[in-house]
Amino acid sequence: MDKKTVRDIDLQGKRVLMRVDFNVPLDDGKITDDTRIQAALPTIQYIIEQNGALILMSHLGRPQGVDPKLSLRPVAERLGGLLGQKVGMAPAVVGDEIEALAKALKPGEVLLLENTRFESGETKNNSELAEKLARLGDVYVNDAFGTAHRAHASTVGVAEKLPAVAGFLIEKEIKFLGKAVADPESPYVVILGGAKVSDKIGVVENLLNKADTILIGGGMANTFLQAKGLEVGESLVEPEALETAKTLMAQAGEKLVLPVDAVIADDFTNDANQQVVTVDHVPPGWRILDIGPETAALFKNELAEANTVVWNGPMGVFEMPSFAKGTYAIAEALAGLDAVTIIGGGDSASAINQAGVADKVSHVSTGGGASLEFLEGKTLPGIAALDEK
Ligand code: ADP
Ligand code: MG
């Protein structure tokens, strides 16, 4: 998977059409978190420095047709502020007027197209739309990893019509996730958690033969514990995944490590009564909401010698402070390791940020669904569409 990047092509004087992920949270038209805009800056600045005329495009939310509330205009303003230069706002995604704007754009200037999902052809990967997009640029760059698992006009269709390369964000994702899937350095430990087993079956199946150890925590551990015959009270369990859990345990044998203790509560609230018990002592009416201290210690011990670690899924209901300790313990353990440490998944990324150690791990993936599909070994169409080196 050796894909060309912006470093591999000549951008001088070219019109560069770049797909970014500017799908930022908005509250009443105001951007509440600009992390995604900040994340795109290195590639944007590089293209400006290389004297490319930059045309940016992104989706925002899920509009059904044109919806002024989901205009990217606030993003153009914020990006302009961050770059310290004007960012032009196009009144639409494609069309004659937009083509004229793109043609008139000078090297070093930046134009942002309207929300790509204002065009109904976007999510259908309509080839006419892709053709119109392709007319706006001489080369195409994709730096939106979060949508790389979707074959849309702005991620796949247009990439097939222009020279197509990766930006720095996608380059980093391919470097870390690609190596973790294809060529991880052992000992290789995978930590899986989160709400549901059914979300992660593909990941377990794909990594089972590659990993030396798979640590299971979070809500998904409950289904495994019940599959082993333990009583888990009111804990979140997926009855339809019990058989799969049994099969995976049989396949994995010693490799698969389950919690030995848990923080349980008598209600699904932060101030519920809580206690720590071993996993074979969950009373009726109680539920598992975090891994216990012995499990955290056991997992830390399993991690100590690792050279590669992939973590996907929180160890407990970390949104509630009372049940965040297990997740934070694992985050801190990872931060202290001398290993390649990779965090995948939207909630896991928030958890590592909340724990304050995001800068102490090797890579925090910017794509929730996309990183999961990557770890499942699936080909991401947005990456497959980029030119090979
Ligand atoms: P990611 O987004 O990192 O892939 P998931 O979406 O799979 O992670 O899972 C995150 C969710 O799992 C969180 O909302 C968290 O509250 C929930 N969760 C973790 N442990 C438990 C548990 N023991 N019971 C119920 N929900 C849990
Ligand atoms: Mg999630």
Side-chain angles (χ1 to χ4, degrees), residues 345-348:
D347 292 292
S348 311

Side-chain angles (χ1 to χ4, degrees), residues 194-195 199-200 312-314 318-319 345-348 350 368-369 372:
D199 289 345
K200 310 282 160 92
N312 173 272
F318 75 103
E319 296 94 336
D347 292 292
S348 311
S350 330
L372 265 188

Side-chain angles (χ1 to χ4, degrees), residues 68-359:
K69 285 198 286 298
L70 292 173
S71 167
L72 279 166
R73 190 167 288 279
V75 175
E77 276 161 32
R78 178 67 60 94
L79 176 61
L82 291 168
L83 286 174
Q85 77 176 67
K86 185 174 175 282
V87 172
M89 184 64 213
V93 186
V94 287
D96 294 343
E97 190 188 349
I98 312 302
E99 274 180 46
L101 283 174
K103 265 221 175 79
L105 204 66
K106 296 194 181 69
E109 291 183 346
V110 183
L111 174 71
L112 175 60
L113 302 183
E114 249 313 353
N115 191 340
T116 51
R117 291 197 189 165
F118 285 1
E119 290 290 331
S120 61
E122 161 71 335
T123 54
K124 300 187 193 103
N125 192 14
N126 174 280
S127 64
E128 235 171 280
L129 176 61
E131 186 58 51
K132 286 182 188 166
L133 286 170
R135 271 186 235 140
L136 303 176
D138 303 312
V139 295
Y140 170 79
V141 180
N142 192 348
D143 214 17
F145 183 71
T147 47
H149 59 317
R150 307 258 180 258
H152 291 172
S154 68
T155 60
V156 170
V158 64
E160 286 162 352
K161 299 184 190 298
L162 291 173
V165 303
F168 297 136
L169 281 178
I170 287 207
E171 181 188 31
K172 189 170 181 235
E173 297 282 0
I174 296 176
K175 178 178 159 207
F176 281 100
L177 293 175
K179 191 160 165 57
V181 170
D183 178 30
E185 197 183 323
S186 64
Y188 181 15
V189 181
V190 175
I191 315 165
L192 290 174
K196 286 157 74 187
V197 183
S198 52
D199 289 345
K200 310 282 160 92
I201 290 170
V203 180
V204 182
E205 284 174 343
N206 188 41
L207 296 182
L208 200 56
N209 295 321
K210 293 163 185 156
D212 299 292
T213 308
I214 299 186
L215 309 174
I216 308 259
M220 71 181 284
N222 305 337
T223 300
F224 282 91
L225 294 172
Q226 182 162 319
K228 272 178 62 175
L230 296 173
E231 300 287 342
V232 293
E234 293 298 304
S235 302
L236 172 78
V237 168
E238 277 175 282
E240 62 286 358
L242 284 167
E243 281 310 309
T244 310
K246 278 184 197 158
T247 312
L248 289 174
M249 284 191 288
Q251 275 174 351
E254 304 269 284
K255 264 190 193 183
L256 202 138
V257 182
L258 291 174
V260 290
D261 65 344
V263 180
I264 59 170
D266 62 355
D267 196 8
F268 192 77
T269 53
N270 187 50
D271 44 18
N273 292 309
Q274 52 166 294
Q275 54 177 313
V276 174
V277 294
T278 53
V279 287
D280 54 353
H281 280 87
V282 180
W286 290 66
R287 68 200 70 213
I288 299 173
L289 294 183
D290 195 5
I291 56 170
E294 268 184 54
T295 305
L298 171 72
F299 285 7
K300 264 189 204 168
N301 200 38
E302 295 284 350
L303 286 165
E305 300 299 319
N307 276 320
T308 307
V309 182
V310 166
W311 179 22
N312 173 272
M315 296 291 100
V317 184
F318 75 103
E319 296 94 336
M320 299 185 202
S322 303
F323 311 108
K325 286 189 201 81
T327 300
Y328 289 175
I330 297 304
E332 270 144 34
L334 253 63
L337 290 181
D338 182 19
V340 175
T341 45
I342 300 163
I343 318 297
D347 292 292
S348 311
S350 330
I352 198 98
N353 280 319
Q354 268 182 43
V357 294
D359 58 341

